[in-house]
Amino acid sequence: MHDILLMALYAFLGAAAAGLLGAAALWLLRRRSLTASLGVVAAVAVTAMLAGTLAVAWAMFLSSHDLTVVTTVVAMAAVVSLATALLLGRWVVARSRALTLAARSFGDGGDFAAPDGPATAELEALGRELAATSAKLARSRERERALETSRRELVAWISHDLRTPLAGLRAMSEALEDGVAADPERYLRQMRTEVERLNGMVGDLFELSRIHAGALALSPSRVCVYDLVGDALAGADPLAREHGVRLVGDRVEPVPVEVDGKEMSRVLGNLLVNAIRRTPADGTVAVAAERSDEGVVLSVTDGCGGIPEEDLPRVFDTGWRGTNARTPPAGAGLGLAIVRGIVEAHQGRAAVRNVPGGCCFEVRLPTAEV
């Protein structure tokens, strides 16, 4: 037993010395290729075995013949181990380089495609993660392009809509200043109307900027949908009379909801104004509210004749105004974008669909907890 323990001690000391040298070599080569590191690991394993064997041989006084045999066996094992380590290292490095080249497609705006061929489990997992990241980046780029297009259209439309009333205000103010206005009172009334339009556009822009910045502060309280719809109908009644449109709200259930009353009144007001302006005279705009599995559904149905199917996904985009001419009644295309922003801030959803003779805008909100 004593001899066995002594041999184990000498073998451990020799292997430990080789291990320390290998650790130092790995530290020096830590920034080099994986092939070099695998070669060092294989060399350390063989050298540790050789050092332990030589230490035991020296302590046990083996014959030179036996020592030569052992050394030769260890040397052959070293050659095979180093060759295997180099082949494995070159294969892993080649696979890593192929993965690196494929990942460069991110910077070029392309899609990632994992290189063909077998790979280690870690490299396969990395390839799957890169593919998933590539898909996310592609979706983000698509959203960014859509937002940029929407911003350009908004700037163009707002510039047009601001230029028209400003030019009218300038002309009317110059006529009043020069004393050539035939009916100053009419000019003043028209100027006030234009100023109110401009004030409304600026208010919509401010509201939309708060929504996009996530700074829309809500003060939710428990209210009844019946009261919300009643107030909205009363507010929109003068505009409906002016356009000769009938307002109908006889399908409204008294469902309680937890919402910001002011912001939700703005949602209903925007939907009603939008529906009234696009419904022909003698047409009908109907408002309904009913329970559903998801909560409560508020709907505003108009008689606009419908929206082209290809335009339905863009209805709530900022600046969208469909095929209508860019005349003052068309607005700046912000009302429906504000509707969606406020509804989503209430954890709800806004949608639109075509119905016979027009379209139906739906707002889904969670019901108030009992």
Side-chain angles (χ1 to χ4, degrees), residues 5-363:
L5 292 177
L6 189 61
M7 286 188 295
L9 176 61
Y10 281 118
F12 173 75
L13 292 176
L20 291 175
L21 290 175
L26 287 175
W27 174 259
L28 295 175
L29 298 174
R30 64 187 183 278
R31 300 184 185 278
R32 295 296 187 89
S33 172
L34 180 63
T35 303
S37 298
L38 288 175
V40 170
V41 171
V44 166
V46 175
T47 304
M49 183 173 63
L50 179 60
T53 302
L54 292 177
V56 171
W58 173 78
M60 301 301 295
F61 301 103
L62 293 179
S63 64
S64 58
H65 177 269
D66 293 341
L67 185 59
T68 301
V69 171
V70 171
T71 304
T72 302
V73 172
V74 172
M76 295 300 101
V79 170
V80 174
S81 298
L82 287 174
T84 303
L86 291 175
L87 288 175
L88 175 61
R90 289 177 64 85
W91 176 69
V92 173
V93 168
R95 180 67 179 183
S96 299
R97 286 176 178 171
L99 204 58
T100 301
L101 292 175
R104 287 180 183 173
S105 62
F106 288 159
D108 299 333
D111 294 330
F112 173 81
D116 297 329
T120 62
E122 293 78 8
L123 291 179
E124 286 286 354
L126 178 59
R128 289 193 296 270
E129 289 297 326
L130 288 174
T133 303
S134 174
K136 292 179 182 177
L137 287 175
R139 290 193 294 269
S140 297
R141 286 193 294 266
E142 186 63 29
R143 286 195 299 268
E144 184 179 355
R145 283 193 290 266
L147 287 174
E148 184 61 28
T149 301
S150 177
R151 279 193 290 267
R152 290 199 196 99
E153 293 177 351
L154 176 62
V155 170
W157 292 342
I158 288 295
S159 300
H160 179 277
D161 289 338
L162 288 175
R163 188 181 299 114
T164 301
L166 287 175
L169 286 171
R170 180 178 180 179
M172 287 184 287
S173 63
E174 289 177 350
L176 289 172
E177 183 180 8
D178 296 338
V180 297
D183 188 356
E185 293 296 330
R186 184 176 66 84
Y187 274 55
L188 291 174
R189 286 194 300 269
Q190 184 63 29
M191 290 175 68
R192 180 173 180 176
T193 300
E194 296 297 333
V195 169
E196 288 177 351
R197 281 190 52 236
L198 290 173
N199 182 65
M201 292 173 61
V202 172
D204 286 345
L205 284 172
F206 179 69
E207 182 79 358
L208 195 61
S209 66
R210 288 199 304 161
I211 292 172
H212 287 172
L216 183 62
L218 299 177
S219 300
S221 61
R222 188 184 182 91
V223 296
C224 181
V225 172
Y226 187 87
D227 296 332
L228 283 176
V229 173
D231 293 342
L233 289 174
D237 186 64
L239 181 64
R241 291 178 180 275
E242 179 184 345
H243 286 75
V245 175
R246 293 186 299 274
L247 291 180
V248 178
D250 54 2
R251 293 178 48 237
V252 180
E253 297 183 15
V255 185
V257 290
E258 194 83 17
V259 296
D260 186 311
K262 179 181 177 182
E263 297 296 340
M264 197 51 58
S265 294
R266 181 163 193 166
V267 167
L268 291 173
N270 284 359
L271 291 177
L272 285 172
V273 169
N274 181 73
I276 292 169
R277 286 177 173 171
R278 285 162 176 76
T279 299
D282 295 330
T284 300
V285 172
V287 182
E290 56 187 2
R291 295 178 183 270
S292 71
D293 296 337
E294 301 177 0
V296 59
V297 179
L298 290 167
S299 63
V300 177
T301 305
D302 59 34
C304 67
I307 300 173
E309 292 295 330
E310 62 272 15
D311 287 342
L312 283 176
R314 297 193 57 205
V315 167
F316 292 98
D317 289 352
T318 302
W320 184 87
R321 289 189 291 190
T323 57
N324 289 344
R326 297 192 180 110
T327 55
L334 306 181
L336 293 179
I338 292 174
V339 166
R340 180 173 64 178
I342 294 175
V343 170
E344 291 180 351
H346 284 85
Q347 308 302 316
R349 290 188 298 110
V352 60
R353 56 186 174 87
N354 284 325
V355 295
C359 57
C360 177
F361 287 85
E362 293 181 341
V363 172

Side-chain angles (χ1 to χ4, degrees), residues 1-7:
M1 178 62 69
H2 180 268
D3 292 339
I4 294 176
L5 292 177
L6 189 61
M7 286 188 295

